Amino acid sequence: MRSLTLAEARERSSLITVTSYAVELDLDQGAEVFGSRTVVRFTCATPGSDSWVDLKAVAVQSIELNGQVLDPDAVSDGRLTLSRLAAENELTVVATMAYSHDGQGLHRATDPADGQDYVYGHLFLDAAPSVYACFDQPDLKAPYDVTVRAPQDWTVIGNGAATRGEDGTWTLATTRPLATYFVTVCAGPYVSVRDEHDGIPLGIHARASLQEPLERHAAELFDVTKRSFDYFHGLFGIRYPFGEYHQVFVPEFNAGAMENPGCVTFRDQYLYRGAATRDELLTRANTVSHEMSHMWFGDLVTMKWWDDLWLNESFAEYMSHRCLVDATDYTDAWVDSSIVRKVWGYGAERSPSTHPVAGVEALDAQSALQNFDGISYAKGAAALRQLIAYVGDDRFIAGVRAYLTDKSYGNGTLADFLGAIEQASGKDLTAWSRAWLLTADRDTISVEVDEQNGVVERAVVIRESPADRPADRPHAFDVAGWTDGRELGRVPVTVTEPMTTIAELEGTPEPAVLVPNASDLTWARVRLSDATVAALPAQLGQVPDAQARAVVWSALIDGVHGATVSPASFLDVFDAAWPAETNSSILTRVAAYAEHRVVPYFVPRPEQDAALARLNRAATGLLEGAAPATTESLAAARLVAGTSDDEALLRAWADGQGLPAGLEDDGDFRWIVVRNLAARGLIGGAEIDRFRAKDDTLQGGLNALMCRASLPDPESKAWAWQQLTGREGRSNYEMVHLARGMWVAPDDDLVADYVPRYFSDVPAMSGWVGEDALSRVVLVAFPRVFTEETASLSSETIARDDLTPAVRRSLVDADAELREALASRQTFGAAV
């Protein structure tokens, strides 16, 4: 089905104004389809004109426009032509729709723990017409009246407060004007915990099998929710406008969460079944606050077209971190951002698919999705921090308030937003916007020091702009240095030229570790000096500033990807500094990056066992010295479980014997151990099934699939490939977990035959897998056989003209990571 183009959207919005939607859904028609009846009322600016409504149905029973019956067969390519429209119109469509299993549209999943089915709507981008007939574009907002017929034992939650009738029909309160992609319905035997704050009814909901973790985490979730409400009410000066506020943890969700007004949906892995580290709780709290900030920026005011989607996400990314720091106990949220969100964003910036934050005109809806990445989130948030440094925080917030007030319940553009900031600040943002928002790529910043007898004689910040994407970006950040844990100086700098002298450092002792952008205030590639990198194994663990340590780790990761830092140097720093780390985000994320990215991508297979042994020694040492049941203990135990080659230890832990404190009966931890055993060929399918029987849940089934795919024998790989790429009816999550295990192998020979098959079989899956889900599968399933032959096949595939936009974008990004690995291996060889 063709994607809506920008030109078509502009034409339709100039003609159509939607007055209201009345949507009736019948979810009691079995496991495959549901009934949908839509009555949409709208006006036409030029009576007699033609337009169309979007509709992706299995079957259409009836269509009536202004009392005239239309032929159901008139629906073609997802569109129903509406001819000779009146000034005021009423369209009624009765259709049968299909549940999805790829996380888009109305998704239906079965929980194997109890056999119960759960439904949720994820209508992002262009999935709304697969649920109801609509004018599917973000600037045609309207209020909704939704009714839902469901099985008697189901609960229904949606954008408006839900009232249950005697016949099992639920009526949802009339909503404020919503964009089509914000409409959702969650239905099933959900369990709930309810509360109230400042006159706002609150609810959190999950599958029945997750009732225990739901109730265990409810107090924390409500606390973050309430604090975020208070903070945003005070900051924006506009009360939350959408009635009740529900947060529903749903199965097999593609993203982290979705900001449906009044009914936010989250991936239900956020309800941690076992032990959780502090940074995992921080990540969840950040997601809660992020989605709430969207109630104002995205929901109350929605972008006019998809090319301004970045502004919604950048704003929420910035505001959630700001809220956590100012209003919750997670005062280290910006540290987490540095080592999680910005590392993600820098990866997107390194890829050939990099793009400006804004100003990339999305010619159709699907192409807009290709620029929905770490640049939209992390770089955009960093740009907003630089904007605040440029205009002042008070003036920035005044501009935000004016923008939200002026555009309430309507749509806005980048020009509208910047205009409000300009009006509030009195500053022309044309040049700033061109440099920061409209030019792709990032500057590199470093500090050159001339010293004499250990004293700084001259210090200069060097700002290098990419030659092929030049930009004159002003940067506001700081430079700080440490020796043996003692801070020797911290200097704020504003960089507007290629070279900026730091006079304040002249005459001071030269620090062993000198960090540009130490507080991580700007967006740039941080190049550490050779002297600093050499000193890190001895010095980094002594640096007391967690934010600066995060910047250093991020710079090392960036350097490994850019072939300027060897994997061996990274592991040297890991050995020495990681066991001394006290910040939970740095501790857990650096460990995960070392295990799952640095070693498998940048260390050749023959050297990987030795590299994993280094990680294991560091983790074992930390585990032995960490206080029981702490984040340090849990992070260390997870790394030991994933890297150890001690069969006796792994088997004991898998069977629940001798576990570190706090991990008793922790099914998720057990699966880390079982996957390690499976990948080493120490257990087989029958034993995996035995562990699966101990964890007869949705997550247990997914982990079992991943372990089966990880088994190092030809039969298991053949089975995994068929399950992944065949029309086996696998869900979005099942495909991803199969892909995660597929390339785990003791040598390339076991999986080499699947390299060419990847480039033919996986793109073909676009025929039956949604773009959002498939884009993730393409990335995760990309061959981990790092050879020139793989690179050649990848290039040939990218050059094809039959790839969907999502497949092409994911291939480009995966190909970039392949070439980074090849460049690193060529530069540094195999020494670890």
Side-chain angles (χ1 to χ4, degrees):
M1 295 185 183
R2 56 178 168 164
S3 182
L4 179 70
T5 68
L6 173 58
E8 289 173 328
R10 286 173 172 169
E11 177 185 1
R12 188 162 63 172
S13 64
S14 69
L15 190 68
I16 301 296
T17 299
V18 184
T19 307
S20 68
Y21 284 97
V23 178
E24 300 174 17
L25 300 177
D26 184 356
L27 308 185
D28 201 13
Q29 295 188 6
E32 300 301 324
V33 298
F34 61 95
S36 172
R37 182 179 187 272
T38 307
V39 179
V40 54
R41 297 177 177 85
F42 60 99
T43 63
C44 177
T46 309
S49 299
D50 297 343
S51 189
W52 77 94
V53 72
D54 301 287
L55 179 61
K56 302 173 184 177
V58 173
V60 180
Q61 281 75 51
S62 65
I63 305 171
E64 187 174 302
L65 175 63
N66 299 331
Q68 298 295 314
V69 175
L70 304 184
D71 184 357
D73 292 335
V75 179
S76 176
D77 206 18
R79 297 182 178 186
L80 168 64
T81 300
L82 305 176
S83 302
R84 297 182 297 280
L85 292 171
E88 295 187 4
N89 302 271
E90 180 177 295
L91 173 70
T92 302
V93 177
V94 179
T96 298
M97 306 294 198
Y99 291 111
S100 82
H101 301 287
D102 61 8
Q104 297 168 248
L106 203 58
H107 182 97
R108 185 167 181 141
T110 302
D111 187 348
D114 54 17
Q116 299 280 6
D117 279 8
Y118 294 85
V119 168
Y120 65 87
H122 184 61
L123 275 53
F124 176 68
L125 202 67
D126 62 356
S130 66
V131 177
Y132 65 101
C134 58
F135 295 99
D136 190 29
Q137 58 190 75
D139 60 340
L140 291 179
K141 300 171 75 172
Y144 283 78
D145 288 285
V146 177
T147 59
V148 180
R149 184 173 182 269
Q152 288 291 334
D153 59 340
W154 282 20
T155 295
V156 173
I157 311 141
N159 303 103
T163 303
R164 181 174 184 170
E166 294 182 0
D167 61 349
T169 297
W170 296 71
T171 302
L172 307 185
T174 304
T175 71
R176 295 283 196 165
L178 305 180
T180 49
Y181 76 100
F182 287 138
V183 176
T184 193
V185 165
C186 301
Y190 286 98
V191 292
S192 305
V193 180
R194 299 179 185 273
D195 203 342
E196 182 272 340
H197 180 67
D198 195 17
I200 304 169
L202 307 176
I204 54 175
H205 317 267
R207 289 179 281 133
S209 64
L210 293 176
Q211 182 167 0
E212 186 278 327
L214 175 72
E215 294 176 348
R216 174 160 44 91
H217 290 285
E220 156 83 2
L221 288 164
F222 280 134
D223 181 64
V224 174
T225 300
K226 294 172 184 180
R227 290 173 183 260
S228 298
F229 264 129
D230 291 343
Y231 186 75
F232 292 136
H233 281 156
L235 197 65
F236 302 146
I238 301 172
R239 279 190 59 80
Y240 168 70
F242 296 110
E244 296 185 356
Y245 194 75
H246 296 276
Q247 297 173 96
V248 189
F249 293 84
V250 300
E252 301 178 339
F253 197 71
N254 281 329
M258 178 65 195
E259 67 270 20
N260 313 300
C263 186
V264 180
T265 44
F266 296 83
R267 59 169 52 218
D268 59 16
Q269 289 93 333
Y270 279 139
L271 291 178
Y272 303 108
R273 303 187 304 166
T277 58
R278 185 181 184 280
D279 67 286
E280 287 173 326
L281 298 178
L282 187 159
T283 296
R284 185 179 66 191
N286 183 271
T287 306
V288 168
S289 188
H290 177 110
E291 303 309 323
M292 185 184 292
S293 71
H294 273 309
M295 298 298 128
W296 288 266
F297 224 99
D299 297 2
L300 178 65
V301 181
T302 307
M303 74 274 156
K304 191 169 185 178
W305 178 244
W306 297 110
D307 50 9
D308 276 331
L309 183 62
W310 75 272
L311 185 54
N312 292 1
E313 298 305 339
S314 299
F315 186 87
E317 180 88 357
Y318 168 74
M319 280 297 169
S320 61
H321 287 86
R322 175 173 176 150
C323 175
L324 290 195
V325 170
D326 290 351
T328 77
D329 295 334
Y330 297 108
T331 55
D332 56 341
W334 286 118
V335 178
D336 186 80
S337 173
S338 297
I339 202 62
V340 180
R341 309 297 286 181
K342 291 185 82 169
V343 166
W344 171 44
Y346 287 154
E349 194 83 289
R350 288 191 304 267
S351 174
S353 65
T354 186
H355 55 86
V357 174
V360 181
E361 190 170 66
L363 298 182
D364 61 57
Q366 279 299 330
S367 66
L369 185 62
Q370 311 323 307
N371 292 332
F372 192 55
D373 54 20
I375 294 171
S376 315
Y377 286 77
K379 184 178 182 179
L384 290 178
R385 294 186 85 182
Q386 288 296 300
L387 177 59
I388 290 168
Y390 188 68
V391 303
D393 188 68
D394 290 346
R395 292 173 180 177
F396 173 77
I397 295 301
V400 167
R401 285 186 168 202
Y403 173 78
L404 293 174
T405 301
D406 181 55
K407 300 295 182 181
S408 286
Y409 305 110
N411 299 83
T413 65
L414 170 62
D416 295 329
F417 175 72
L418 291 180
I421 304 298
E422 286 181 330
Q423 182 68 28
S425 67
K427 287 194 173 184
D428 185 343
L429 297 179
T430 303
W432 183 93
S433 175
R434 181 170 58 250
W436 271 106
L437 302 180
L438 303 179
T439 306
D441 216 332
R442 55 184 168 152
D443 297 336
T444 298
I445 57 174
S446 58
V447 179
E448 290 186 358
V449 173
D450 296 331
E451 60 85 25
Q452 184 69 34
N453 298 321
V455 176
V456 176
E457 289 191 331
R458 176 176 174 270
V460 178
V461 173
I462 308 298
R463 182 197 69 179
E464 302 170 65
S465 181
D468 56 342
R469 298 185 183 94
D472 185 15
R473 298 182 187 89
H475 293 268
F477 58 91
D478 59 356
V479 176
W482 292 267
T483 298
D484 297 331
R486 182 167 61 92
E487 186 173 306
L488 300 183
R490 183 183 295 266
V491 181
V493 295
T494 299
V495 172
T496 58
E497 302 292 337
M499 300 179 66
T500 304
T501 299
I502 313 176
E504 293 88 340
L505 292 182
E506 295 174 3
T508 65
E510 182 187 21
V513 173
L514 187 62
V515 184
N517 195 29
S519 296
D520 206 10
L521 300 176
T522 195
W523 179 270
R525 176 183 290 106
V526 171
R527 180 182 297 151
L528 301 172
S529 68
D530 292 343
T532 289
V533 172
L536 288 175
Q539 294 287 330
L540 182 58
Q542 301 180 67
V543 173
D545 186 338
Q547 186 70 73
R549 296 197 306 274
V551 170
V552 169
W553 280 112
S554 175
L556 290 174
I557 291 169
D558 217 10
V560 169
H561 281 273
T564 61
V565 173
S566 71
S569 294
F570 180 93
L571 292 172
D572 287 343
V573 182
F574 188 94
D575 282 349
W578 180 81
E581 184 55 58
T582 57
N583 178 270
S584 62
S585 297
I586 300 174
L587 187 73
T588 63
R589 303 305 177 131
V590 170
Y593 214 89
E595 179 185 1
H596 299 296
R597 186 53 59 98
V598 173
V599 172
Y601 280 70
F602 296 97
V603 177
R605 279 199 202 267
E607 306 294 325
Q608 288 179 9
D609 284 346
L612 290 174
R614 296 185 69 176
L615 301 183
N616 185 66
R617 285 194 297 272
T620 300
L622 176 57
L623 181 60
E624 291 173 350
T630 59
T631 287
E632 290 79 8
S633 174
L634 178 55
R638 287 175 176 173
L639 188 55
V640 170
T643 59
S644 177
D645 62 356
D646 185 338
E647 182 178 354
L649 173 70
L650 294 172
R651 285 189 176 277
W653 279 6
D655 290 332
Q657 300 171 10
L659 288 165
L663 291 173
E664 301 85 0
D665 298 319
D666 190 322
D668 291 327
F669 179 78
R670 183 192 300 120
W671 282 113
I672 299 174
V673 180
V674 174
R675 184 186 181 190
N676 191 356
L677 287 166
R680 295 177 184 277
L682 299 175
I683 60 174
E687 287 177 281
I688 292 172
D689 289 342
R690 179 169 64 86
F691 289 112
R692 170 72 176 86
K694 292 182 179 181
D695 186 12
D696 189 21
T697 65
L698 194 61
Q699 192 61 43
L702 295 170
N703 284 319
L705 284 176
M706 181 166 55
C707 291
R708 282 283 302 275
S710 299
L711 291 172
D713 61 76
E715 294 77 17
S716 295
K717 297 304 180 185
W719 172 85
W721 193 254
Q722 174 59 34
Q723 295 296 307
L724 172 64
T725 62
R727 292 178 178 263
E728 306 297 333
R730 291 294 186 180
S731 73
N732 51 334
Y733 269 43
E734 288 174 331
M735 289 185 289
V736 167
H737 279 74
L738 287 162
R740 284 176 177 163
M742 180 67 206
W743 299 104
V744 176
D747 55 61
D748 288 350
D749 291 342
L750 179 61
V751 291
D753 289 346
Y754 294 95
V755 174
R757 293 184 63 179
Y758 167 88
F759 293 106
S760 60
D761 295 358
V762 173
M765 293 166 65
S766 61
W768 64 90
V769 179
E771 289 280 274
D772 194 20
L774 185 56
S775 66
R776 289 164 171 78
V777 172
V778 170
L779 281 173
V780 179
F782 192 88
R784 289 195 190 177
V785 177
F786 299 101
T787 64
E788 292 296 339
E789 290 79 7
T790 303
S792 177
L793 287 169
S794 181
S795 294
E796 292 172 5
T797 306
I798 292 171
R800 285 166 44 181
D801 60 7
D802 62 338
L803 301 179
T804 65
V807 169
R808 184 181 304 282
R809 167 63 195 269
S810 291
L811 273 176
V812 167
D813 290 344
D815 178 83
E817 293 180 342
L818 164 66
R819 294 174 194 283
E820 288 176 342
L822 291 173
S824 175
R825 294 180 184 199
Q826 182 177 5
T827 301
F828 299 112
V832 296

